[in-house]
Amino acid sequence: MENEVVSKNFIEVEIDKDLAEGVYDCVHTRFPPEPNGYLHIGHAKSILLNYGLAKKYNGKFNMRFDDTNPTKEKTEFVDAIKRDIQWLGADWEDRLFFASDYFGQMYEAAVKLIKKGKAYVCDLTAEEIREYRGTLKEPGKNSPYRDRSVEENLKLFEEMKNGVYQDGEKVLRAKIDMASPNMNMRDPVIYRVAHMSHHNTGDAWCIYPMYDFAHPIEDAIEGITHSICTLEFEDHRPLYDWVVRELEYPHPPRQIEFAKLYLTNVVTGKRYIKKLVEDGVVDGWDDPRLVSIAALRRRGFTPESLQMFVELCGVAKGQSSVDYAMLEYCIREDLKMKRSRMMAVLDPIKLVIDNYPEGQVEYLDAANNLENDALGTRQIPFCRELYIEREDFMEEPPKKYFRLFPGNEVRLMHAYFVKCESFVKDENGKVVEVHCTYDPETKAGSGFTGRKVKGTIHWVPAPCAVEAEVRLYENLIDEEKGVYNEDGTMNINPNSLTVAHAMLEPALKDVRAYDSFQFVRNGYFCVDAKDSREGALVFNRIVSLKSSFRLPQKG
Ligand code: ATP
Ligand code: MG
């Protein structure tokens, strides 16, 4: 046997046990989003976890919309969710389901419970049901309608279905135990009247099942073995098991809970993201400052980087929050070898080489990625007028400043040494032009060893530079300052977006949506898919190059 070190997460340990004991002979998982918003990074974790388990155990993975609540659900969200899951690489093959397709079977299941004496129609108002429910310290009281006969319950439930009653007039409740220490077991409501159109079933139904009743049925119908969900459902597990048991499904699914993923300094949670979108704080669900999957894609994250991130996070039972810097680490790691390293000047200032002949152009060879020869080389036109970063010139430099200042010589990346001879200021005293001379002996790749310079700066040729809008991001919120202000509004970082008017190498002229690059010194950038136009490019900074982040040591 090979001596391999495999560390399993606690869910895998449970699955192994189930398989060994013969509880199940295969693994079948699902991802069940409610189509009431866009998916976010937390959902990505759940998707990749469920899909990953199915793959690892040679099992199956279902995609199922949990669309049992018609109030908030929309087709726009259904389409967005499908796109996001496909992009992440989780393949549901031909198993795309809608909980609403099972409304008929759920109705039959409810009838079965009534016939077994395990469910009853209750006329108490929502308010009264709450009062009768008791508290954590005190048991609840039985509803006066609890002992209705099976016949009466069947008739009333059918009338509920046939639209005889108004919203809230009657509900169907499971008959379990009003004194249970678990509040979820105190005769929970399992069906309610709601005269509402559904995005899938239209006006076919005016009663809708509650989540805790519907979910185990959906899992059982699809033959799910391990129904993996987040911790807030732990207290609902006895009810899940009750539903599955009372309905006598031959292969009962098993619910296992894990901790939600939280990230520092970002908002996860559909509710919060929705509020930012509706308040116009951000430009839609895919605003690159958000961590919805659509936003991460637009910003330039790759499916591989999110997979790596989810792997590193692991699966735990205890709540914790992960440093946003770890997500940045993953995208840097993913792009490092895969992307070309281009020159782009974010805050341009003109550099004129006085001794370079006017009108002359030469093409310099540059490796696209020094660490990966497979990415090949490109040619960069070099000429008399260039752009450099404003911060790469100083009239009066501090100590240890090795870039351009009067009298100093630097290397222009992939090109020649240039020495600063003079500079021009405008009427406000702002430097607008730097003048240099170049030394033809010092061409990059020529083997010149005559002398050394300490600084290397990047540049772009001015006459053929490509103009672009570049968007630089910071976190939308700063946790240390508190997520909320005293008046309940969110504390939004005013610098979460800054816009730069950049000049790029001509090789970047024909980029397409989602193409990404390293811009040397400035970070990784991605072509914005929403706002970029031909001749008016927009780039998003995915992440800067530097980080103090270190991978946590696994112990
Ligand atoms: P939110 O709290 O963001 O509104 P939700 O749980 O209401 O999310 P659903 O569409 O109901 O969203 O969830 C689909 C699946 O994703 C559920 O199984 C849920 O447990 C899981 N999920 C939701 N948020 C997270 C998270 N932060 N980390 C891991 N899994 C999550
Ligand atoms: Mg939800």
Side-chain angles (χ1 to χ4, degrees):
M1 280 241 351
E2 276 193 36
N3 189 13
E4 55 175 11
V5 186
V6 190
S7 84
K8 300 203 166 193
N9 66 47
F10 81 94
I11 298 179
E12 291 165 346
V13 171
E14 290 300 312
I15 292 178
D16 284 346
K17 214 158 64 184
D18 286 343
L19 293 174
E21 291 170 2
V23 181
Y24 301 108
D25 57 7
C26 63
V27 171
H28 199 152
T29 59
R30 86 289 175 259
F31 178 67
E34 197 185 345
N36 61 354
Y38 280 57
L39 300 179
H40 53 65
I41 182 101
H43 296 115
K45 173 165 182 173
S46 178
I47 294 161
L48 294 171
L49 171 64
N50 278 292
Y51 176 66
L53 287 169
K55 260 187 80 170
K56 195 165 199 164
Y57 288 90
N58 230 332
K60 288 182 179 151
F61 166 76
N62 288 7
M63 170 65 205
R64 181 208 310 146
F65 284 100
D66 209 330
D67 56 351
T68 51
N69 177 1
T71 31
K72 292 176 282 179
E73 296 162 2
K74 282 205 252 161
T75 310
E76 176 203 347
F77 297 139
V78 170
D79 295 337
I81 289 172
K82 284 203 279 199
R83 202 180 323 128
D84 289 345
I85 298 178
Q86 270 163 343
W87 178 78
L88 270 180
D91 183 5
W92 60 77
E93 297 171 351
D94 57 352
R95 290 179 305 280
L96 169 65
F97 301 113
F98 288 83
S100 54
D101 290 339
Y102 312 138
F103 280 165
Q105 289 169 80
M106 291 173 187
Y107 180 79
E108 289 310 320
V111 168
K112 178 169 180 161
L113 290 185
I114 294 174
K115 286 183 176 160
K116 288 179 76 173
K118 298 284 183 178
Y120 61 97
V121 173
C122 182
D123 301 1
L124 293 180
T125 63
E127 179 76 10
E128 287 165 334
I129 290 180
R130 215 170 305 125
E131 279 166 24
Y132 274 70
R133 216 168 154 223
T135 63
L136 280 174
K137 291 197 191 98
E138 286 164 48
K141 274 194 309 193
N142 284 353
S143 160
Y145 305 99
R146 200 172 198 260
D147 295 319
R148 276 177 165 156
S149 69
V150 169
E151 289 67 35
E152 189 183 3
N153 280 321
L154 285 174
K155 175 176 155 281
L156 292 174
F157 187 50
E158 194 176 352
E159 287 175 355
M160 279 170 65
K161 180 188 76 154
N162 291 339
V164 175
Y165 305 110
Q166 297 302 306
D167 292 8
E169 210 178 324
K170 285 186 168 36
V171 292
L172 184 71
R173 299 177 69 176
K175 194 173 185 174
I176 308 179
D177 178 6
M178 288 306 290
S180 170
N182 184 333
M183 301 286 281
N184 295 304
M185 300 297 272
R186 295 186 185 173
D187 291 10
V189 173
I190 59 178
Y191 255 99
R192 64 191 171 118
V193 178
H195 292 270
M196 235 181 281
S197 277
H198 186 278
H199 78 101
N200 194 20
T201 56
D203 294 320
W205 295 89
C206 64
I207 54 171
Y208 292 97
M210 304 303 287
Y211 178 89
D212 281 338
F213 177 64
H215 204 79
I217 296 178
E218 296 156 24
D219 285 340
I221 290 174
E222 291 176 15
I224 299 304
T225 56
H226 297 86
S227 177
I228 293 158
C229 63
T230 37
L231 277 184
E232 71 271 25
F233 293 105
E234 196 167 25
D235 289 344
H236 298 239
R237 193 185 337 130
L239 179 53
Y240 183 100
D241 291 340
W242 184 91
V243 170
V244 168
R245 195 169 58 242
E246 292 299 340
L247 292 172
E248 300 163 56
Y249 285 107
H251 303 289
R254 170 180 179 196
Q255 175 178 306
I256 302 179
E257 310 86 16
F258 71 101
K260 274 196 172 176
L261 168 68
Y262 291 103
L263 270 182
T264 57
N265 296 324
V266 299
V267 278
T268 48
K270 268 184 277 196
R271 231 165 350 116
Y272 299 109
I273 298 183
K274 195 174 202 150
K275 181 147 173 32
L276 292 170
V277 173
E278 282 168 0
D279 293 355
V281 175
V282 294
D283 148 42
W285 286 91
D286 60 356
D287 185 294
R289 289 166 292 178
L290 296 174
V291 287
S292 63
I293 297 177
L296 291 166
R297 175 171 60 232
R298 180 170 167 202
R299 175 106 174 230
F301 282 82
T302 57
E304 292 80 4
S305 65
L306 298 187
Q307 282 155 13
M308 186 193 309
F309 176 69
V310 165
E311 280 287 314
L312 284 175
C313 288
V315 185
K317 198 97 197 167
Q319 212 72 258
S320 68
S321 115
V322 176
D323 195 336
Y324 184 81
M326 191 157 107
L327 183 61
E328 298 190 313
Y329 166 86
C330 293
I331 186 67
R332 270 191 214 102
E333 280 298 298
D334 186 45
L335 298 183
K336 193 164 71 181
M337 307 295 278
K338 291 187 191 165
R339 296 294 184 264
S340 293
R341 301 175 183 179
M342 315 294 283
M343 296 194 287
V345 174
L346 300 195
D347 185 8
I349 171 176
K350 184 119 355 123
L351 181 133
V352 182
I353 304 171
D354 293 327
N355 63 339
Y356 197 88
E358 238 165 287
Q360 180 173 311
V361 180
E362 62 183 303
Y363 290 86
L364 304 173
D365 288 317
N368 284 329
N369 185 328
L370 278 176
E371 292 176 70
N372 181 4
D373 290 340
L375 291 183
T377 60
R378 68 183 184 282
Q379 292 202 312
I380 311 168
F382 183 80
C383 54
R384 182 183 159 96
E385 296 201 352
L386 315 174
Y387 290 112
I388 60 167
E389 297 282 358
R390 178 168 293 281
E391 64 171 31
D392 285 348
F393 171 81
M394 284 185 101
E395 185 180 350
E396 288 166 37
K399 266 192 183 160
K400 300 220 173 149
Y401 183 86
F402 300 120
R403 295 175 242 167
L404 278 176
F405 54 87
N408 193 41
E409 191 174 43
V410 300
R411 178 197 301 280
L412 291 175
M413 192 176 281
H414 305 301
Y416 298 93
F417 289 6
V418 289
K419 184 173 170 195
C420 178
E421 306 289 354
S422 63
F423 56 94
V424 181
K425 284 181 175 174
D426 67 10
E427 63 271 24
N428 301 318
K430 191 173 166 189
V431 178
V432 288
E433 232 173 68
V434 177
H435 284 258
C436 290
T437 50
Y438 88 116
D439 178 354
E441 302 282 300
T442 58
K443 187 170 176 174
S446 69
F448 175 78
T449 52
R451 62 186 183 279
K452 287 194 170 135
V453 287
K454 281 198 167 146
T456 298
I457 65 175
H458 62 277
W459 53 277
V460 298
C464 54
V466 176
E467 287 188 58
E469 175 178 327
V470 166
R471 297 175 181 169
L472 307 171
Y473 301 105
E474 285 180 17
N475 286 333
L476 205 51
I477 54 170
D478 181 347
E479 255 166 31
E480 284 181 10
K481 296 194 183 124
V483 177
Y484 292 98
N485 298 311
E486 277 180 8
D487 61 0
T489 55
M490 275 195 203
N491 187 2
I492 303 295
N493 172 4
N495 301 320
S496 64
L497 168 65
T498 44
V499 172
H501 298 281
M503 293 291 184
L504 321 178
E505 282 190 39
L508 289 160
K509 189 162 142 279
D510 297 317
V511 294
R512 285 173 308 182
Y514 300 111
D515 284 352
S516 61
F517 305 89
Q518 185 187 113
F519 289 171
V520 291
R521 283 207 355 236
N522 287 313
Y524 289 96
F525 292 76
C526 177
V527 179
D528 188 88
K530 203 164 168 182
D531 296 339
S532 255
R533 302 278 175 274
E534 212 183 311
L537 292 175
V538 178
F539 280 83
N540 296 313
R541 175 148 71 185
I542 313 168
V543 67
S544 61
L545 293 180
K546 288 201 198 77
S547 165
S548 55
F549 178 78
R550 295 283 166 271
L551 262 193
Q553 295 295 309
K554 286 212 170 161

